[in-house]
Amino acid sequence: MTPVPIEGEKATAPAGSTRRALAGRLSWGLADQAASSISNFAVGVYVARSLGVTAFGVFSLAWVTYGVVLNVSRGLATDPLVVRFSGVPDASWRGAVVRSTGTALGVGAAIGAVCLVVGPALGGRVGPAFLCLGVGLPGLLLQDAWRFSFFAAGAGRKAFVNDLVWGVALVPAMVVAARVGSVAAFVLAWGASAAVAAAYGCLQSGVRPGVAQARGWLREQRDLGYRYLVENVSLSGASQLRAYGLGAIVGVGAVGAVRGAELLMGPFLAVLMGLSLVTVPEAARVLRQAPHRLGSFCLLLGGGQAAAALLWGGSLLLMPDRLGELVLGDVWHSASQLIVPITLGVAGAGLGTGAAAGLRALGAARRSLRCQLFASACYVGGGLGGAAAAGTVGSAWGVAAATVSGSAVWWLHLRSALREPRQNPIPEVRTA
């Protein structure tokens, strides 16, 4: 069977052409994440400016919860997809995408139903926000699954267009939410616009999610999927525990301050997340084509991201208060105190993503799981211990120290994995 054509790349392309193809795929990853992050940034800034630090903290709790569910979906559905189905024959890719997107949609429907039950019981401002989150989860997770599916096929342009559709759909949704003026309205608008992009993804791919085939997908990918599930949930779950714990120890306003500081890092985080969409597929290609270059590829990737984070954080320290208040309103004063520790934490995370991509490409799920569990435990311990000792600023410094420590462990495990003999680096498919 003929492999899926990768944009700008031929099977026998010379080194220069291969590098250009790689640069093209990375560029589409950055462009796609820029489109996604601009939309998310606009929503976050509007909520922060319009509803104040406490309401923004409630919105942030819903956002963090969505992050946990998203990582459940990625661990079970799209992470095995990008490891085993990047650059494979078209028939294999399509069959895998049917089952993978069906799994993502099923996860969204199941956990969304839980939110619909839990939301009314929570009451207050938080309850309606979680109720609306439950309505939006199926569309949010399916839209994310299309992005990873397109990047696995080397079709980053389609992922970019899909995120543009989401951004366009957000505009009228935000107008309606602004008239309502509640956190729940913004959460509902965010989810509804994602559902529009998710439906468009079906038209782009010519594939319909097979929810009925989700069980088969989980069975086929159980050796990777369940480990990636635990790994991903430990990451996002640690973030959620830290947010809830920070709110309990310091106050909900502290959660809003942390989220505000993360918004200030938004343009760089867009680069970091944009690269993360393509790093595992690219590392898998490097492993197939030139295994001896995987270590240097991961080092260049992680080191470049860490350096860029430090440069961006340095530029934020020079931002005038007037400009900061224009962006975040009242949230600026509390968020600006967290710029240095959050910058160091993001730099540490960027360095670690290089090693994480290498371990994923190697299919070393046990090693990556150990690394992530260690990093997550440090994150929760540092974040909550710092909060108890020195409030919001102490929590940010605790997280920064934890992230750097976790990055060191990722690299130690990648070095060990690269020294181990490999038989069949990436078992491609177990298709029915």
Side-chain angles (χ1 to χ4, degrees):
M1 299 178 69
T2 304
V4 176
I6 305 299
E7 294 175 358
E9 181 180 355
K10 297 180 180 179
T12 57
S17 177
T18 300
R19 285 193 294 269
R20 286 193 296 272
L22 171 61
R25 291 192 296 269
L26 291 175
S27 297
W28 280 118
L30 294 175
D32 170 73
Q33 189 58 49
S36 176
S37 295
I38 287 172
S39 299
N40 293 338
F41 181 79
V43 172
V45 167
Y46 193 89
V47 175
R49 286 181 55 82
S50 301
L51 303 180
V53 67
T54 301
F56 189 56
V58 174
F59 181 84
S60 298
L61 290 178
W63 186 283
V64 170
T65 303
Y66 157 71
V68 176
V69 180
L70 181 65
N71 279 299
V72 171
S73 175
R74 288 179 177 178
L76 294 175
T78 53
D79 284 346
L81 178 76
V82 298
V83 169
R84 286 186 165 142
F85 295 87
S86 292
V88 301
D90 183 62
S92 295
W93 178 83
R94 285 183 171 274
V97 169
V98 168
R99 301 192 299 282
S100 176
T101 55
T103 301
L105 188 57
V107 169
I111 302 182
V114 174
C115 290
L116 292 177
V117 173
V118 172
L122 292 175
R125 288 184 173 184
V126 177
F130 273 74
L131 187 67
C132 293
L133 177 63
V135 173
L137 276 177
L140 285 162
L141 299 191
L142 181 58
Q143 193 276 337
D144 184 75
W146 287 128
R147 298 171 71 201
F148 281 85
S149 299
F150 292 140
F151 278 109
R157 182 181 302 165
K158 290 185 177 181
F160 172 70
V161 172
N162 192 274
D163 269 321
L164 281 183
V165 170
W166 187 5
V168 171
L170 261 174
V171 175
M174 287 294 104
V175 171
V176 174
R179 291 180 178 178
V180 176
S182 68
V183 176
F186 283 105
V187 174
L188 185 60
W190 170 50
S193 56
V196 173
Y200 183 64
C202 297
L203 297 176
Q204 288 179 291
S205 64
V207 172
R208 300 295 179 269
V211 178
Q213 300 182 42
R215 182 177 297 178
W217 174 261
L218 295 175
R219 183 172 58 251
E220 294 164 12
Q221 309 300 328
R222 61 184 177 274
D223 59 326
L224 294 183
Y226 292 116
R227 288 193 176 97
Y228 289 159
L229 168 64
V230 176
E231 182 180 328
N232 289 356
V233 170
S234 69
L235 171 64
S236 54
S239 178
Q240 189 175 30
L241 286 174
R242 186 257 184 132
Y244 289 161
L246 183 61
I249 295 170
V250 184
V252 177
V255 181
V258 170
R259 178 60 185 155
E262 291 171 350
L263 282 175
L264 293 174
M265 295 294 294
F268 173 75
L269 290 175
V271 174
L272 181 65
M273 290 185 288
L275 289 174
S276 72
L277 290 170
V278 293
T279 50
V280 176
E282 292 306 324
R285 289 185 176 94
V286 170
L287 183 61
R288 284 191 175 101
Q289 298 169 6
H292 61 284
R293 295 180 180 173
L294 181 61
S296 57
F297 172 81
C298 294
L299 182 60
L300 179 63
L301 177 68
Q305 290 178 96
L310 294 174
L311 289 174
W312 180 259
S315 68
L316 289 178
L317 292 174
L318 302 177
M319 179 183 292
D321 287 341
R322 183 176 300 177
L323 180 58
E325 292 170 358
L326 180 65
V327 174
L328 293 180
D330 293 339
V331 179
W332 162 253
H333 296 288
S334 53
S336 62
Q337 302 175 33
L338 310 179
I339 290 175
V340 173
I342 283 186
T343 296
L344 294 176
V346 172
L351 183 62
T353 56
L359 287 175
R360 286 286 177 97
L362 289 166
R366 289 186 178 182
R367 286 189 177 276
S368 62
L369 176 58
R370 292 191 201 110
C371 293
Q372 190 56 66
L373 289 176
F374 174 84
S376 297
C378 289
Y379 183 93
V380 174
L384 298 186
T392 309
V393 175
S395 179
W397 277 106
V399 166
T403 305
V404 173
S405 300
S407 179
V409 172
W410 278 104
W411 277 101
L412 289 173
H413 274 272
L414 177 61
R415 186 179 66 173
S416 298
L418 290 172
R419 292 176 177 177
E420 294 175 347
R422 296 186 299 276
Q423 297 177 353
N424 184 14
I426 307 175
E428 179 188 305
V429 193
R430 282 192 294 276
T431 40

